Amino acid sequence: MQTPDGLDDLYQDIILDHYRSPRNQGVLEYPHLHGEGFNPFCGDQVDLTLTLSGDGRIDGVGFLGQGCSISQASGSMLSDQLKGKTIDEAEEFVRTFKGIMQGSDVSQEQEEELGEIAALQGVKQFPVRIKCALLSWTTLQDAINEYRKTVS
Amino acid sequence: MYDVSVIRNDFPILSRQVNGRPLVYLDNAATSQKPQSMIDALVNYYSGYNSNVHRGVHTLSMEATDAYEEARQKIATFINAPSPDNLIFVRNTSEAINLVEYSWAAANLKKGDRVVATEMEHHSNLVPWQHAVAKAEAELKLMKMAEDYSLDLSDLDELLTPQTKLVAFTQMSNVLGTITPAKEIIAAAHRVGALALVDAAQSVPHMPIDVQDLDCDFLAFSGHKMGGPMGIGVLYVKREVLEEMEPFLRGGEMVLEVTYENASWADLPMRFEAGTPSVADSIGLGAAIDYLTTLGMDNIRQHEVKLTSYAIERFKEIEEISTYGPGDMSIRGGVMSFTMGNVHPHDIGQVLDQAGVAIRTGHHCAMPLVRSRLHLPATARASFYLYNTEAEVDSLIDGLKTTLRFFGDANTRRA
Ligand SMILES: Cc1ncc(COP(=O)(O)O)c(C=O)c1O
C-alpha cells in the first residue's frame, strides 16, 4: 500500500526528525521552573525543566517525554527555541502557538518567530491531535504560573 | 448459510468511503454499526405511531405500548429470561450497573462487607463499586489476570469470604477479548451467599447468552454494541432480587398511587423506569435482536472465531507487533489489542484512519488494566463483528506495514 494522502501534512519530515531524536533530552537537576504534563487519555507524558541566568533569561532546558510523535516532536521543538527568552517572552510564545493551534491566523512575523515549529500547523487538520501538540506548551505555562507564585 | 458479502449489504454505512478509501470498521467493541432493518424500525416508529406509552387510551399510544412491551419480550427470549418483567430498560451498561449500586448495594452492603470484581473490568464495572464500598466502609477485591490473559481463578476460594456480598465481573474483556468462566464464578459466589453481576456489554452482542443457565442475579448490556440504537440498554435482574430492590429514579410512570404526602410503587419492572422511556430505541433494539436471531448467535460467534484466528496469524507477520489476549479461541472474543514497536498507538490509529481503517487507541476505559497490568500507556485495538471480512483484516495488516515504514527508524528510538 502507498502512503495514504494527507499524512505528509501531519507528519512532516521535521516533525519526524524531532520525534526520532528529541533535543535537550533530560531533566535538569536544579531547575528554576519545572512542569510535568500528562494526558491520561493517550498516556502522553512530558517533563520540562528550565534554568534562568542572572538577567532572567532561560539558559538551560531539559525535556523528557513519552508518547505519540506529535506530542514528543512538539515538546522537542519547543525546548529548542526557549533559550535566551525571558519568562514574559516565553509566555508570549506559548500564547502565539496556542492561538495558532486554535485557529487564529498567523502573521508573517509570527510565522518567522515560530521557525520550524510552524510545521505543526498541519496538525490543525486533525482536531483530536491538537491536544497532543499543545501538551508541552500548557506544561510550560503551568511551570511559569508556579514560578510566578513562588517569586511574587 | 452465513454469507458475509450478503450480510454486509444490510449495513448501509459499510458502503461509505473514508479518506477516499472504503471504510474498514474495526471499532466494534466501542460500538457496532446498524442494520437497515433497525434503522427502519426507528423511522417507522417516529413516522407511523409515535406516542407516549402506558398512559394513553388512544390508538397510537396503544400501538406504541404494544411495540415497546413486545421489544422487552424479544430481549427476554434472546437471553432466555424467565419473563420480560425481569428486564429494566436503561440507557446503557453503565447506567444498569449504577442502578444496581444505588438500588441494591446501597441497602445491602454493610461495614466490613466485600465486593469482588476482576482486574479486567471496564471503568463501568469498577468505579461504581469503588464508590459503593467507600460509602459502606466495605472493601473491593479483585480476581487477577493470569499470565496467559485468562482470568486467574486459583485464589477464588480465598477471595470469596462469607463477608462477600457481590461478585461483579465482565464476561468478556473489551481490552483482551478474554471470556471469563461466568458459570463457575457465579456458582462460587452463590456458595458463599453472594449475588453475582455479569457485565455482558461485550458478550451479549457476540455469543449466545442464557441467564437461567448462568444463574446470574444481574446481567447488564448495551443495545448500541449489538446493532441497536445508542441510548438503550438492559438490566436483567432475578425476580426475587428485584422484588427487594428500592427504586432508582423516582417520578412519573414508576408509581401506582400518589398523594401529596406519599407514593406507592408500580409493578415490576415499571417501578424502575421513571419518566418517559426511550420507546423508539427499545423498539430499535428489538429489531436488532430480530436481525441477530435470524443470523444465529452461534453462527456469529463462529464467524468471529474464524476471523480472529485469521487475524492472529496475520499479525505474526509483523515482528514488531505484540498482542495482548488469550491464544485459546475458546476463551476469546473478537478483540485484538496490540502495540507495534515504539510507534505510539495514536500514530498507528492516525495512519490507519487515513487508509480508511477505523480502530481504537488508548486505554479503552480500562486504565488500571492497561497501565498497571499490561504496563502500557495505551494500546491499539481492532475489534470485529458479524460483518467483518478477512479482506478487511488484510487492509489492517497492509495499513500497519505502511505505518511501520512511515515511522521508519522512529521504531528503534530510545525505549
Ligand atoms: C466490558 C464493558 N463494560 C461496560 C461498557 C460500558 O458500556 P456503555 O458505554 O454502553 O455504558 C463497555 C463499553 O465499552 C464494555 O466494553
Side-chain angles (χ1 to χ4, degrees):
Chain A
M1 188 172 78
Q2 297 169 303
T3 304
D5 306 332
L7 283 182
D8 293 330
D9 287 343
L10 179 63
Y11 297 122
Q12 296 186 27
D13 288 343
I14 183 75
I15 294 178
L16 290 176
D17 181 59
H18 275 270
Y19 173 53
R20 286 171 189 144
S21 9
R23 321 297 197 260
N24 305 298
Q25 279 265 286
V27 179
L28 302 184
E29 203 171 356
Y30 301 108
H32 295 100
L33 289 85
H34 185 190
E36 285 176 286
F38 180 48
N39 179 347
F41 289 100
C42 31
D44 292 342
Q45 246 169 323
V46 299
D47 186 312
L48 204 58
T49 42
L50 305 175
T51 54
L52 299 174
S53 64
D55 64 351
R57 289 187 183 273
I58 295 167
D59 65 355
V61 182
F63 165 72
L64 200 66
Q66 208 188 27
C68 73
S69 57
I70 302 298
S71 70
Q72 301 308 302
S74 179
S76 168
M77 286 165 139
L78 169 64
S79 75
D80 229 11
Q81 295 201 26
L82 285 175
K83 273 189 204 156
K85 285 188 170 31
T86 63
I87 298 283
D88 286 347
E89 285 165 357
E91 199 166 25
E92 182 56 33
F93 199 43
V94 172
R95 210 170 305 133
T96 304
F97 183 72
K98 279 193 177 173
I100 289 169
M101 294 313 287
Q102 285 154 5
S104 322
D105 285 331
V106 218
S107 68
Q108 187 80 35
E109 200 181 326
Q110 284 172 317
E111 178 143 1
E112 268 160 36
E113 197 205 344
L114 282 176
E116 59 185 26
I117 294 176
L120 284 167
Q121 287 186 70
V123 177
K124 276 195 292 185
Q125 294 170 44
F126 300 86
V128 289
R129 305 301 295 277
I130 291 175
K131 61 178 193 312
C132 310
L134 286 177
L135 181 62
S136 293
W137 301 73
T138 48
T139 304
L140 172 57
Q141 185 64 57
D142 291 345
I144 292 173
N145 296 345
E146 275 304 305
Y147 175 76
R148 291 226 161 97
K149 268 193 239 157
T150 56
V151 293
S152 63
Chain B
M1 209 199 84
Y2 196 92
D3 185 345
V4 192
S5 61
V6 176
I7 289 169
R8 290 178 70 80
N9 294 332
D10 298 331
F11 292 80
I13 209 169
L14 297 182
S15 55
R16 75 161 276 184
Q17 304 233 319
V18 167
N19 292 318
R21 315 270 177 125
L23 167 66
V24 174
Y25 185 76
L26 302 178
D27 191 18
N28 294 288
T31 200
S32 67
Q33 296 305 344
K34 318 302 178 196
Q36 188 64 51
S37 57
M38 192 295 279
I39 300 167
D40 289 344
L42 294 179
V43 173
N44 292 344
Y45 169 76
Y46 281 121
S47 52
Y49 57 103
N50 171 55
S51 171
N52 212 326
V53 286
H54 295 315
R55 287 180 297 238
V57 291
H58 60 79
T59 302
L60 294 189
S61 180
M62 287 186 292
E63 286 179 11
T65 305
D66 284 350
Y68 181 62
E69 292 306 335
E70 186 186 63
R72 204 193 302 268
Q73 176 62 59
K74 285 178 186 173
I75 299 161
T77 307
F78 188 64
I79 60 170
N80 195 31
S83 150
D85 297 345
N86 294 101
L87 305 180
I88 303 168
F89 280 123
V90 289
R91 280 185 304 144
N92 47 41
T93 306
S94 307
E95 185 175 309
I97 295 171
N98 275 271
L99 193 158
V100 178
E101 188 211 329
Y102 282 92
S103 295
W104 183 84
N108 289 284
L109 273 191
K110 301 278 181 292
K111 193 170 170 176
D113 282 349
R114 175 179 281 197
V115 174
V116 174
T118 80
E119 286 181 342
M120 297 181 191
E121 299 311 317
H122 186 283
H123 298 160
S124 286
N125 197 31
L126 184 64
V127 179
W129 307 125
Q130 293 172 340
H131 183 233
V133 299
K135 269 201 310 196
E137 296 181 61
E139 60 176 357
L140 178 63
K141 293 283 178 184
L142 302 176
M143 289 180 242
K144 293 196 169 39
M145 181 190 83
E147 283 290 302
D148 63 358
Y149 305 105
S150 66
L151 191 63
D152 181 359
L153 296 188
S154 61
D155 55 355
L156 195 58
D157 288 340
E158 288 112 83
L159 278 175
L160 297 184
T161 55
Q163 285 70 42
T164 306
K165 292 287 148 44
L166 180 71
V167 180
F169 65 97
T170 185
Q171 195 173 11
M172 188 193 290
S173 159
N174 66 313
V175 176
L176 309 168
T178 308
I179 298 171
T180 58
K183 235 177 129 164
E184 196 178 327
I185 298 167
I186 293 162
H190 289 164
R191 278 199 294 279
V192 296
L195 299 192
L197 177 147
V198 180
D199 174 352
Q202 296 294 343
S203 54
V204 163
H206 299 278
M207 57 200 244
I209 298 298
D210 179 335
V211 289
Q212 294 188 65
D213 179 53
L214 285 173
D215 197 29
C216 54
D217 302 282
F218 307 98
L219 183 129
F221 58 98
S222 300
H224 68 91
K225 293 183 197 282
M226 53 195 287
M230 289 196 171
I232 191 75
V234 177
L235 175 66
Y236 160 84
V237 190
K238 246 189 207 167
R239 179 79 195 193
E240 60 265 34
V241 179
L242 195 55
E243 274 169 1
E244 298 300 316
M245 280 164 59
E246 277 294 301
F248 175 39
L249 302 171
R250 292 169 167 80
E253 298 263 1
M254 50 80 67
V255 283
L256 183 62
E257 203 178 348
V258 183
T259 64
Y260 280 118
E261 292 78 26
N262 274 308
S264 58
W265 310 140
D267 279 346
L268 299 171
M270 246 65 80
R271 191 183 300 170
F272 292 94
E273 294 178 356
T276 300
S278 297
V279 180
D281 299 325
S282 314
I283 294 169
L285 177 54
I289 283 176
D290 286 341
Y291 184 81
L292 296 176
T293 306
T294 307
L295 292 182
M297 290 309 294
D298 279 314
N299 297 334
I300 292 171
R301 166 78 182 138
Q302 247 178 43
H303 171 74
E304 290 178 19
V305 166
K306 221 172 117 219
L307 193 59
T308 309
S309 311
Y310 178 72
I312 291 173
E313 278 313 303
R314 294 240 38 204
F315 267 67
K316 289 180 184 158
E317 284 169 30
I318 304 174
E319 202 184 320
E320 291 83 352
I321 284 187
S322 308
T323 57
Y324 309 92
D328 174 1
M329 278 312 302
S330 71
I331 57 158
R332 182 187 187 140
V335 177
M336 301 274 308
S337 271
F338 63 95
T339 51
M340 190 166 68
N342 283 332
V343 186
H344 192 276
H346 247 182
D347 291 316
I348 299 174
Q350 189 86 59
V351 178
L352 289 176
D353 179 60
Q354 223 54 34
V357 180
I359 62 156
R360 189 145 293 251
T361 63
H363 51 63
H364 320 295
C365 291
M367 258 194 220
L369 171 64
V370 173
R371 284 207 211 140
S372 310
R373 284 296 162 266
L374 303 181
H375 305 288
L376 297 167
T379 75
R381 180 188 73 187
S383 53
F384 308 122
Y385 206 19
L386 57 94
Y387 37 67
N388 289 120
T389 64
E390 291 189 357
E392 289 182 308
V393 173
D394 296 340
S395 300
L396 169 67
I397 299 292
D398 284 351
L400 291 173
K401 288 179 177 169
T402 306
T403 310
L404 260 187
R405 242 182 293 127
F406 197 81
F407 284 93
D409 54 350
N411 197 38
T412 56
R413 186 172 166 264
R414 69 198 150 91

